[in-house]
Amino acid sequence: MTELAPYAAHSEQSRGRRFAEPPPAYRNEFQRDRDRIVHSTAFRRLVYKTQVFVNHEGDHYRTRLTHSLEVAQIARTVARTMRLNEDLVEAVSLAHDLGHTPFGHAGQDALNDCMREHGGFEHNLQSLRVVDELEERYVGFPGLNLTFEAREGILKHCSLRNARMLGDIGRRFIERRQPGLEAQIANIADEIAYNNHDVDDGLRSGLISVEQLTSIPFFDEHYAALKAAHPGAAPERVQREVVRRMIDTLVQDLFRTSEAAVLEAAPLSIDDVRSMERPLIGFSAPFAETQAALKRFLMDHLYTHPHVRQMTQQAHETICLLFDAFSADYRKMPAKHAERAEAAEKRDGRSGAARVIADYIAGMTDRFALQTRDALR
Ligand code: MG
């Protein structure tokens, strides 16, 4: 294995875990983080959580689980090429969506609406809550007790209000500083993955067409080149090959641009990286625009497509129905959660109980949320 760059996250110099533990015997600290994530209950639930298409719509669409795996693959390639810590980017990528509600962004928006008077709901912060508090697998501590570096990467966005309550891990949002390069890579790999796989899933579903997509020069370039080189190829193969080439081109630009930025900034350590005002990992201006164009296209044609909107509406109704029913009667939740809500209400009032309810709903898979809704009606 090539040696890590001096400004990479070095596991032996980790800022440590919230609860001290003896070092792992055969793995480094970040490999242990990754393994704890893979063994968690929240990770297994990702298979039944929506990316864009609800799980029961078809077997070939991305779910949160396959999305997370794709993010990890892209992030690992970039990290390895840049001599950064591949184990850490893998851990962060696999964990980044653990806090996602059922029904994708529609579910997150709905739960945020329900929680408006109780501090809101942010899915990034929820991912951190899952690994810090909600997983129950170890006798010595709550959550997964991950390293600071993994937690730093998982919390990619955070409101200032919440950042102030998070202590160490929230400080960078207040001071407008950066996380380590591994966290920056996982963040952008997430964008590359979803933009491209949503194009792929969108085409598969028939909700968007190649003709529409050729309005994006980046797509059209690859599409035209492929059609010219392989005039007899099956359309589905050409479409998938375009997506593959778009990912490859974006990753190459990301690598080249970021490598140049690192060279220029010349950080000597991860703390140098953290103290910077801007991230060092990013696209060149033309490719940043390409990414933005893909995102706009998906927003205009896929995420707001009447079929997807219909699902969004149903998601909103389901989440609100669950939240209202549990708020009116905690005992409509399983005993463990009901007892937690009662204790939280005694301690922190209605908002404390609301947080327990939000945790319970956020943990649900799409199908469990629908089953629970049907049982309550
Ligand atoms: Mg994601």
Side-chain angles (χ1 to χ4, degrees):
M1 212 169 91
T2 36
E3 211 185 317
L4 290 181
Y7 42 79
H10 294 258
S11 66
E12 61 286 3
Q13 287 156 24
S14 165
R15 285 172 64 175
R17 300 173 190 276
R18 295 201 300 161
F19 301 88
E21 292 183 65
Y26 317 106
R27 300 166 292 176
N28 66 48
E29 298 287 357
F30 302 140
Q31 288 170 337
R32 173 148 76 177
D33 283 348
R34 176 204 54 210
D35 296 351
R36 287 184 177 184
I37 291 157
V38 170
H39 288 287
S40 70
T41 307
F43 186 73
R44 283 191 296 282
R45 287 181 182 149
L46 293 178
V47 73
Y48 293 115
K49 289 198 180 198
T50 294
Q51 190 63 29
V52 173
F53 297 90
V54 183
N55 185 269
H56 58 70
E57 289 193 73
D59 289 346
H60 298 128
Y61 295 120
R62 268 71 174 187
T63 66
R64 288 262 160 218
L65 181 67
T66 60
H67 161 69
S68 301
L69 295 173
E70 289 185 32
V71 174
Q73 290 307 111
I74 293 170
R76 284 176 56 194
T77 301
V78 178
R80 193 187 319 123
T81 314
M82 294 184 70
R83 293 193 300 132
L84 298 171
N85 200 307
E86 195 177 337
D87 298 319
L88 178 59
V89 292
E90 186 178 18
V92 172
S93 302
L94 294 179
H96 84 283
D97 271 350
L98 288 181
H100 242 292
T101 60
F103 315 122
H105 283 280
Q108 125 96 22
D109 291 345
L111 199 50
N112 191 30
D113 286 346
C114 299
M115 288 293 286
R116 188 136 298 175
E117 285 161 30
H118 309 291
F121 179 88
E122 297 174 27
H123 73 263
N124 274 132
L125 186 58
Q126 190 68 12
S127 293
L128 188 69
R129 262 178 86 67
V130 168
V131 301
D132 278 358
E133 290 173 46
L134 300 178
E135 277 289 321
E136 301 176 294
R137 313 192 65 78
Y138 301 90
V139 289
F141 45 77
L144 304 178
N145 198 29
L146 302 182
T147 59
F148 178 88
E149 290 75 11
R151 298 171 61 235
E152 171 188 51
I154 290 169
L155 191 65
K156 63 178 177 180
H157 308 293
C158 179
S159 64
L160 279 182
R161 209 181 63 89
N162 283 322
R164 286 192 199 96
M165 295 192 286
L166 288 171
D168 216 15
I169 204 89
R171 194 160 303 138
R172 82 164 195 265
F173 299 98
I174 299 161
E175 296 174 353
R176 296 178 178 278
R177 300 294 164 187
Q178 307 306 316
L181 294 176
E182 287 80 0
Q184 296 182 27
I185 287 175
N187 186 8
I188 296 208
D190 185 21
E191 272 184 43
I192 297 178
Y194 66 66
N195 275 335
N196 286 285
H197 66 46
D198 288 353
V199 166
D200 190 51
D201 278 354
L203 285 169
R204 186 187 304 277
S205 69
L207 299 184
I208 57 174
S209 68
V210 167
E211 289 65 38
Q212 288 174 313
L213 277 159
T214 49
S215 68
I216 305 170
F218 184 52
F219 183 96
D220 192 44
E221 246 167 64
H222 287 296
Y223 185 72
L226 270 162
K227 289 289 276 185
H230 304 278
E236 295 78 22
R237 284 205 195 197
V238 175
Q239 290 167 16
R240 278 166 211 151
E241 180 81 24
V242 173
V243 172
R244 187 190 76 78
R245 290 187 184 192
M246 289 198 302
I247 295 175
D248 190 50
T249 314
L250 286 165
V251 168
Q252 285 189 40
D253 179 76
L254 180 69
F255 166 65
R256 274 197 300 267
T257 311
S258 306
E259 204 52 0
V262 169
L263 206 64
E264 201 191 317
L268 297 175
S269 68
I270 188 170
D271 284 331
D272 278 358
V273 172
R274 287 181 175 132
S275 70
M276 291 184 182
E277 283 171 24
R278 285 173 206 290
L280 295 176
I281 304 292
F283 296 110
S284 64
F287 278 93
E289 173 44 35
T290 293
Q291 271 285 78
L294 274 175
K295 200 178 275 192
R296 278 196 305 271
F297 176 91
L298 290 166
M299 184 54 76
D300 293 346
H301 299 284
L302 183 62
Y303 307 147
T304 51
H305 188 284
H307 177 83
V308 176
R309 266 195 200 281
Q310 189 193 343
M311 187 207 90
T312 308
Q313 186 54 34
Q314 198 196 26
H316 208 277
E317 285 164 17
T318 303
I319 298 277
C320 294
L321 185 142
L322 294 176
F323 189 86
D324 291 344
F326 297 148
S327 298
D329 180 1
Y330 302 156
R331 293 281 154 180
K332 291 235 159 79
M333 293 188 287
K336 183 174 83 176
H337 299 278
E339 282 156 23
R340 271 187 200 158
E342 283 157 6
E345 184 174 356
K346 280 203 191 96
R347 207 174 48 237
D348 306 318
R350 289 291 290 176
S351 291
R355 184 61 57 194
V356 174
I357 294 167
D359 285 341
Y360 179 55
I361 295 175
M364 292 181 177
T365 61
D366 295 358
R367 61 177 188 179
F368 184 71
L370 292 171
Q371 281 165 9
T372 308
R373 177 201 65 184
D374 292 345
L376 283 168
R377 284 213 279 222

